[in-house]
Amino acid sequence: MADPRSRVAMISGANRGIGAAIAELLSRQGWRLSLGVRDPSRLVPPADEGQILVCGFDARRPGSEQAWAQATAERFGRIDVVIANAGITIPKTVIEANDEELDDLFQVNVRSPLRLVRGAWPWLTRSGQGRVITIVSLSGLRVKSAKAGLYSTSKFAALAMTHAIRHAGWEDGVRATAVCPGFVATDMAAGLTDRLAQDMTQPADLAHLVSVILDLPNNASVAELPINSTLEEML
Ligand code: NAI
């Protein structure tokens, strides 16, 4: 593998939760990072300016992904990794939800990650060891409940998108992984369940798994990685 210190990773939604934990770990490991957030002025970067670029990016603003990828390539001269982490949930059944809510979920959870990968594609394919990691969810592998149904439609699509990217980039050395956790102790989960944070998967442990995936060579590709915090039935 290339020296991690020379590689460049873009991480969306790196201001809190899972994205912040991944940024912190990769930064400690010496990666050069490009962090995409809605409000760059509020982000406290985990390392000095030489190693980190912070860019404005809004998943609801098509075009911001391309601009962010361009700015990253101009600053570092390469992009090796895209971590599509930014995401939202709307806890509604598919019957309750309206078209606007469905569109919003797809905009943030599916279309924007795809635009981001397309924006970085020339550099990912040039890397020889390009990596795309999508933070999907166990809700991309099974529909857990009626209320999780709407979110699941977007996460199933995000899972398929990640496999499709894997196919599209294989010959050029791009490997794509769908990371599929259950509840992770972040703001998102706190708004959905009264389960104690200590009983959920910790963001730092997910970051560790992401780091391991990024260290694997092209011939040890992980396509999907389900992570459970509790025992549950799978279909
Ligand atoms: P979070 O709510 O703490 O973080 C979400 C991140 O996405 C934030 O950085 C937020 O600023 C960003 N974001 C949201 N809308 C955005 C937009 N329009 N433009 C740019 N950035 C936007 O939640 P968490 O848990 O860190 O979520 C990260 C990813 O993990 C999401 O894709 C989520 O669906 C997924 N996930 C979370 C689980 C959990 O239990 N927390 C479980 C499985 C997957």
Side-chain angles (χ1 to χ4, degrees), residues 12-20 36-38 57-61 84-89 108-109 112 135-139 151 155 179-190 192 200 206:
S12 69
N15 54 310
R16 64 169 195 245
I18 297 168
V37 293
R38 275 176 290 187
F57 147 74
D58 189 331
R60 294 191 180 95
R61 199 156 41 82
N85 162 76
I88 56 166
T89 185
V108 176
N109 292 352
S112 174
I135 308 300
V136 180
S137 172
L138 281 182
S139 288
Y151 178 63
K155 290 296 186 175
V179 171
C180 302
F183 278 128
V184 184
T186 67
D187 291 352
M188 181 183 281
L192 295 171
M200 301 183 207
L206 268 194

Side-chain angles (χ1 to χ4, degrees), residues 31 48 54 61 154 162 164 179 184 219-220 230 234:
W31 285 74
D48 68 63
V54 180
R61 199 156 41 82
S154 73
T162 309
V179 171
V184 184
N219 56 8
T230 57
M234 298 286 284

